[in-house]
Amino acid sequence: MLVDSHCHLDRLKLNKYDGELDAALQAARDRGVGKMLCVGISLDNRQAVTELAEKHDDVVASVGVHPLDVDAGLATETQLVEWSKHPKVVALGETGLDYYYSDETKEVQSKSFAIHLRAASEAKLPVIVHTRDARQDTLDLIREHGNSEYAGVLHCFTESWEMASAAMDMNYYISLSGIVTFKNAEELRDVARKMPLDRLLVETDSPYLAPIPYRGKPNEPAFVREVAEFVADLKGISYEKLCEITGENFHRLFYKA
């Protein structure tokens, strides 16, 4: 099964589908996508992502506050644990640290990340982690507040092999997006080549970061196929085997899915 392990279905650009989300989802299914994880990013969109998951058997959701959305309000541990009880919620996040776009909110980002990690440990769910230009702080907070039994994923990974290796040592998975197909992403391709297959996921992060040959256009779950085909080639395995392995990894990590 091909899985889009990270997408934002409530934010897709649907002009080519005449505004119909169902048409975009069907386009993904027609290309072999069997499961999509619709990721929450704020207090405001929690209901939107869970309602989308409720409406579609092949969609599951996460709830959380993105590090670039912390100014709009933080979730409490109690809230996150309660929200995690929804039958279609399979993870907490997207949470984490982003110093590239917003280093002036480092303190509140760290507070929010720690809240998510502790809540996930209590809820016995994995955490979806966004990290950019915050390698050591991300790893330190995971060590201090996380639970390696349920762990999580560093999504849309663009960091170093050393960071990937340290995260995997804490039972984390690494998810690759369309960025791995970009011409200037040779360092990331080296990481992909070194990645053990049993720690690998693929994603779109749609509507952002469309892979080659769609770069510059709105991304969508159907395009996870291009990511999977590209990564399979990097790993020297068949596309079908890559789908099988990443699908198994997805369901091992997001066991409620």
Side-chain angles (χ1 to χ4, degrees):
M1 178 192 294
L2 178 56
V3 177
D4 186 354
S5 70
H6 192 113
C7 53
H8 301 278
L9 300 179
D10 57 318
R11 295 192 163 203
L12 294 187
K13 312 302 182 185
L14 297 170
N15 293 347
K16 68 186 279 189
Y17 297 110
D18 296 322
E20 295 293 330
L21 176 61
D22 285 352
L25 297 181
Q26 190 57 50
R29 296 172 189 130
D30 290 345
R31 301 198 74 209
V33 181
K35 187 76 73 173
M36 292 161 268
L37 173 46
C38 182
V39 175
I41 60 167
S42 68
L43 300 179
D44 290 341
N45 87 325
R46 176 181 65 87
Q47 187 171 352
V49 298
T50 54
E51 287 180 352
L52 276 169
E54 289 168 359
K55 292 177 183 177
H56 303 280
D57 290 343
D58 52 0
V59 176
V60 290
S62 71
V63 292
V65 179
H66 191 286
L68 299 180
D69 285 86
V70 293
D71 287 341
L74 303 186
T76 67
E77 289 180 48
T78 300
Q79 284 176 316
L80 289 167
V81 171
E82 186 61 31
W83 296 338
S84 74
K85 296 175 183 177
H86 189 290
K88 295 299 290 279
V89 169
V90 302
L92 296 184
E94 163 177 11
T95 181
L97 304 175
D98 192 315
Y99 297 168
Y100 180 83
Y101 283 113
S102 188
D103 67 351
E104 69 275 9
T105 60
K106 285 182 179 180
E107 186 174 343
V108 68
Q109 287 185 43
S110 294
K111 178 181 178 181
S112 180
F113 189 18
I115 288 170
H116 284 75
L117 289 165
R118 291 193 297 267
S121 181
E122 183 176 346
K124 299 181 179 180
L125 287 181
V127 182
I128 299 170
V129 178
H130 170 107
T131 179
R132 190 166 186 190
D133 283 6
R135 294 177 183 177
Q136 195 57 52
D137 285 357
T138 298
L139 294 170
D140 289 346
L141 282 164
I142 289 172
R143 287 192 186 96
E144 182 177 356
H145 299 282
N147 184 334
S148 61
E149 183 176 354
Y150 299 98
V153 57
L154 301 188
H155 103 92
C156 194
F157 191 77
T158 58
E159 305 294 339
S160 66
W161 169 247
E162 288 72 24
M163 185 181 192
S165 182
M168 288 186 290
D169 285 345
M170 293 186 284
N171 204 27
Y172 269 67
Y173 291 72
I174 305 297
S175 183
L176 299 175
S177 71
I179 291 175
V180 75
T181 72
F182 295 177
K183 291 180 180 179
N184 62 349
E186 188 55 40
E187 182 180 1
L188 181 57
R189 285 189 281 278
D190 285 340
V191 172
R193 293 184 186 101
K194 294 176 182 177
M195 277 287 302
L197 286 168
D198 65 352
R199 290 282 131 185
L200 179 63
L201 298 173
V202 289
E203 65 172 89
T204 59
D205 202 12
S206 51
Y208 319 106
L209 305 171
I212 301 295
Y214 306 108
R215 190 174 183 185
K217 299 179 180 179
N219 203 1
E220 59 182 281
F223 297 166
V224 74
R225 178 159 186 149
E226 277 68 28
V227 180
E229 289 174 341
F230 190 91
V231 174
D233 187 59
L234 285 177
K235 302 297 287 181
I237 61 176
S238 70
Y239 164 73
E240 291 77 14
K241 188 65 175 177
L242 191 283
C243 290
E244 177 187 347
I245 291 170
T246 54
E248 290 174 353
N249 293 345
F250 177 87
H251 286 97
R252 187 184 313 116
L253 175 61
F254 301 109
Y255 65 90
K256 278 181 64 178

